[in-house]
Amino acid sequence: MQVLKFGGTSVANATNISLVKQIVSTNTASKKIVVVSALGGVTDLLLRTAAAAAEQDKSYIELLQKIEQRHLETIKELLPIAIQSAVLSRVKSELNVLETLLEGAFLIGEITPKLSDKIVSYGELLSSYIISEYFIAENLKAVYQDSRSLIKTDTVYGKASVDFRETDQRCTAFFNGSQPDIVVMGGFIASSHDGDATTLGRGGSDYSAAIIAAAVNAEALLIWTDVSGMYTANPKVVKQAKAIPHISYEEAMELSHFGAKVLYAPTIQPVLSKGISIVIKNTFDPDAEGTLITKSKNEKGKTVRGISHIGGIALLSLEGPGMVGIPGTSKRFFEVLSQEDISVVLITQASSEHSICVGISALDVDRAVASVNGAFAYEIERQKIKPVIAEKELAVIALVGDNMKQHQGLSGKMFSTLGRNNVNIRVIAQGASERNISAVISEADVKKALNVLHEVFFEENIKQLNLFVMGVGNVGAKFLKQIQQQKAYLRTQLKLNLRVIGISNSRTMAFDEQGIDLENWADVLAKGEKTDSEQFLGNITRLNYRNSIFVDNTASAAVAANYANYLSKSISVVTCNKIACSSEYDAYENLKFLARQYNAPFLFETNVGAGLPIIDTLKHLIASGDVILKIQAVLSGSLNFVFNNFDQNSTFHDIVKQAQEEGFTEPDPKIDLSGIDVMRKILILARESGHRLEIEDIENKSFLPQESLDTDNNTDFFASLIKHEASFQKMYAEAIAADSKLKYVAQFENGKASVGLQHIPKDHDFYNLEGSDNIVLFFTERYPDQPMIIKGAGAGADVTASGIFADIIRIGNF
């Protein structure tokens, strides 16, 4: 004999009930007990109807009509016309009784727990009767049985306790008799010894099925629901969650208690002592393996079996010097909560006895505070104990596994993972069995916490990075293309999964919580909403994804000014925008501080040398104890391109225009030609070397005429270049006469920095620098005479995008 239980979604409508019939008819057990819930949503609808009636709100009549319509439509869709009449008549008769009960609640303006149970019981009474009649109509040997005649309870209405002795006797007598192959019963409902309807609590249909299974010593209890078993985490929150093939009773109880709603926690208790296996199956995917729950321990080597959580938690903290060494304080505290029928989810107490903290449902917190403060009023008045402190909007997350106690460091791994993602832990609790490690966190951090823990414990070390990209012009477009091209490689070779969640340009922005399709990102962006930098950050904060990275591909001062807001919310920043790191030193240092404080990397390798590893190399030199003596560099790919291509056969204007069109300059080329871009770069290198320097401290030996420097738009700037062509030709002629080349050089030595155009002789490292290449010479205590040289392409969208990409990979490897 097997017991098959079908939940509300499995019997929500005629279509689903037909699937239930198919499952039952193909089950190979010779005898089957089918326990069903109310039609999906009907229990909530009954509760709403009862509440409206008790408030003397006539809308209860409309709600009752909806309940009637649901059941009558189901009958008409399921049953042949020839037998509909008798079934409809009985259902309408039952609904008339229900209407009478609701009228009574309306007239007296209240509803008692006893009356509530009677009203709510109609959900299962009607569904089980309709389904049994459908089975019979489909030629299954089935019979309907009222659960209230078999399961007996006390009179604690709403969550009655079962009288197992009498229930077992009744079940044994009934099922040992001559019964058809299939008995259909309603779950959740029972009756008191006086015959009044009672209920077993929300989720009680599972419990009913387990009670029956234990009473008849069933071979197995099959719970059919809308998911394929118990999962490693809530699949609605953690998309990578996987069904657990085999789990122990104790593990299942822990996961169920901590929010795994696929199974009602008390369900396990009746079958545990008799060793009856439980199988969780999916009504809508019956071939899926599901989860087997037995006495046996899980496979060797398996530690954490699942991660779960309970939301809507509040913490109550009682503390004060008057608690130390005073016996009975904890007893009084818990006694007060018990008297108020408040369940305690989690307990922790300091060894000093100075404080005790419990987790309860947030719905009970106001009542709990008033009761506890009342009970300890004498001690509070004399300041021996402080008034109870309540904290809301919290959740409990828990790691669960039988074998966790056999593996060292799991707690450390859990808490360090949360810490790295800036998930603050308010309270920790762990039992001596070490089957459960629990922590209380902000409810806003639950999604992030579950995902990062699942990533660490279940996902073969594949780390997910969530990117929010601002600026999709030349560099940004190349960056998105590189991500698309390398996505598979990153996943297989580096165990990184990159998702672009948000993109923005100066006009529009777009978000997709599942990740933007990078083959069509331009179309997605075109359909986006108007760009709002505050809303862009607000969306990232609201999503609260783990490993969130803001990528700035702009040259905007306004965007750079917002980095502190990102970092302070634990959102990493990767940027090719030099403005932030070359702003006031205190602002630069504050960004570095925030990155450390909130464990959010702030990387800007592309600020100097595009994709060249200049800053990274400098950091490694400093970290290893080397000291920078001097830096000499050609840091402008734009200016190097210009002076490598400018000669007596070309005009300076045309070469600068070409550099702009080919993407070697900033959108405003004066930034490059004025030297300000190079000043920013040498400033950043000086600061990364450990020196406090401001942009005003750098000497700029500009080669541009003052008229060019004074322009405020590109049209006037290019016009000034044409006007002063003779002076540019003179500079070139003087360099040729000195058998030299023109290079724009940045230098830092003895705490002083300068930039300017220089004549570079043939024997210098800079002389043969071609195209738009950059070169940096690091003279250090370890490299005093022969400098460390870094050389390569220092401008262009492709190499800059690759430098940003490299910074993303660095974060992924942290």
Side-chain angles (χ1 to χ4, degrees), residues 651-665:
T651 68
F652 195 72
H653 165 275
D654 289 348
I655 298 300
V656 173
K657 194 70 174 175
Q658 180 185 352
Q660 183 195 41
E661 291 171 352
E662 294 187 17
F664 291 124
T665 72

Side-chain angles (χ1 to χ4, degrees), residues 19 125 227 364 675:
L19 296 176
L125 288 173
V227 293
D364 297 327

Side-chain angles (χ1 to χ4, degrees), residues 646-651 729 732:
F646 175 58
D647 57 27
Q648 70 274 16
N649 299 317
S650 60
T651 68
Q729 290 291 344
Y732 175 76

Side-chain angles (χ1 to χ4, degrees), residues 160-196:
S161 295
V162 176
D163 181 340
F164 281 98
R165 183 174 181 179
E166 183 171 349
T167 297
D168 287 353
Q169 289 174 351
R170 285 173 174 262
C171 288
T172 301
F174 177 78
F175 289 105
N176 281 351
S178 178
Q179 298 296 342
D181 295 346
I182 302 166
V183 176
V184 181
M185 303 171 54
F188 176 58
I189 56 176
S191 67
S192 68
H193 294 287
D194 295 330
D196 294 315

Side-chain angles (χ1 to χ4, degrees), residues 179-233:
Q179 298 296 342
D181 295 346
I182 302 166
V183 176
V184 181
M185 303 171 54
F188 176 58
I189 56 176
S191 67
S192 68
H193 294 287
D194 295 330
D196 294 315
T198 59
T199 60
L200 304 178
R202 296 306 296 266
S205 289
D206 287 353
Y207 191 31
S208 297
I211 292 166
I212 299 297
V216 301
N217 291 306
E219 301 166 17
L221 167 60
L222 281 68
I223 295 180
W224 292 86
T225 181
D226 56 358
V227 293
S228 300
M230 298 193 79
Y231 278 68
T232 50

